[in-house]
Amino acid sequence: MTLESRPRRLTTPQDLVEAGIAAPERVPELEAVARRYAIGVTPALAKLIDPGDPADPIARQFVPNPRELIRDPAERDDPIGDDAMSPVKGLVHRYPDRVLIKLAAVCAVYCRFCFRRERVGPGSGLLSAADFAGALDYVRAHPAIWEVILTGGDPLTLSPRRVAETTQALAAVSHVKVLRWHTRLPVAAPERVTKAMAHALMTEGKTTVVALHANHPREFTEAARDACRRLAAEGAMLVSQSVLLKGVNDDAETLIDLMRAFVEARVKPYYLHHGDLAPGTAHWRVSIAKGQELMRVLRARLSGFATPTYMLDIPGGRGKAPIGPQWIRCGEDGKHMVMDPQGVEHAYVDRLGADR
């Protein structure tokens, strides 16, 4: 295959039309969205879109929709409060034992529901060497920091050389024990997750975690599974992140298939996020009540290690909270009522030994 004939990333409305993903008459509305929010669809994901299905769950995640320009009054440019928790540029310190470092403000693919959609896209660039040095100094000065989370954008859009330099710089900080990389690349551009990239994430004496974002089981092509295998083969721990999205995965069968696909790819299901209050994303959000009911079904039908935790990121930088259904409540006379996977309640009484 010549360089000219190689499939390329789609970054404009016209690209989407030429690829058969969008109808020509949609160009004006797509351009209106593109003037505000970046477009990016990789060849791997473009191949998964069924242009004949108006409700295609892959297209719904990545093809612009004019409803993105409709802003709910509760939506925020910074919905999870990164700015309020950023003591130095590019670093967020929300929890005592871990920090985020935003290495890149670009992604291989731009999710239409992204909670950092106001901050990422072409021209947003990378964290400068000076700003990374400042973030590294901050980490060194705070011995309570046990874990560093590398995010963005997508930090694996960087070269293996740059990734390795970041890994080694952080590994030199003795109190940092865990490096966690947040990425979509194994499903969005699996060919870029090479053995060299996987090796660049690893360092002696530290635990490397890769948090993979995927929302639909169709994203797990054989190439995506191979990318996960390469990461696992180098010694990375893989965990999942998904967002509960209307029209994508807001039914039990899709979520069950997604969680099983993660496990089959050696990825531990970790978080199912409730949709954040990012601008123009209301049409993707699912009610908390529906999310809780879906989690009841997942808990009844999946193994414990295949069941994610349903999480809400509290606006204003207050952190994440699990919002799954409650399985136990305090009943009369100090008895607890605990619900089994079929939804039937049973009495349970604490039996505590006497203090000595």
Side-chain angles (χ1 to χ4, degrees), residues 197-256:
M197 176 64 83
H199 185 71
L201 301 171
M202 307 304 299
T203 184
E204 190 70 27
K206 310 290 182 180
T207 296
T208 294
V209 180
V210 176
L212 169 60
H213 177 185
N215 297 314
H216 194 276
R218 272 173 43 204
E219 295 175 49
F220 279 93
T221 62
E222 192 55 38
R225 291 171 189 253
D226 284 345
C228 292
R229 292 185 192 109
R230 287 191 288 274
L231 291 166
E234 289 295 322
M237 177 192 301
L238 277 66
V239 300
S240 80
Q241 298 213 77
S242 303
V243 183
L244 182 59
L245 298 167
K246 185 185 296 184
V248 175
N249 57 19
D250 60 332
D251 66 278
E253 294 305 323
T254 299
L255 284 174
I256 288 168

Side-chain angles (χ1 to χ4, degrees), residues 1-9 43 47 191:
M1 181 182 292
T2 65
L3 185 62
E4 290 77 13
S5 62
R6 188 176 302 165
R8 61 186 177 86
R9 187 164 166 264
K47 285 195 300 185
E191 73 284 354

Side-chain angles (χ1 to χ4, degrees), residues 177-197:
K177 304 299 182 184
V178 178
L179 302 180
R180 191 202 319 174
W181 298 78
H182 285 198
T183 185
R184 235 194 190 297
L185 234 62
V187 295
E191 73 284 354
R192 294 181 60 177
V193 185
T194 60
K195 181 178 175 63
M197 176 64 83

Side-chain angles (χ1 to χ4, degrees), residues 3 6 72 75 87 89 108 137 163 206 213 279 296-297 353 355:
L3 185 62
R6 188 176 302 165
D72 184 279
E75 292 173 342
K89 187 173 181 179
D137 286 342
V163 168
K206 310 290 182 180
H213 177 185
R296 287 185 195 278
V297 178
D355 292 334

Side-chain angles (χ1 to χ4, degrees), residues 28-46:
E29 67 180 35
L30 296 178
E31 287 180 340
V33 179
R35 283 193 288 271
R36 183 170 180 88
Y37 299 119
I39 298 173
V41 185
T42 59
L45 289 173

Side-chain angles (χ1 to χ4, degrees), residues 95-123:
Y95 304 102
D97 70 338
R98 54 204 183 275
V99 296
L100 296 173
I101 297 179
K102 302 179 196 176
L103 289 181
V106 294
C107 297
V109 61
Y110 291 104
C111 303
R112 311 315 308 168
F113 49 86
C114 178
F115 67 96
R116 291 196 179 112
R117 64 196 327 235
E118 300 289 338
R119 315 295 176 92
V120 299

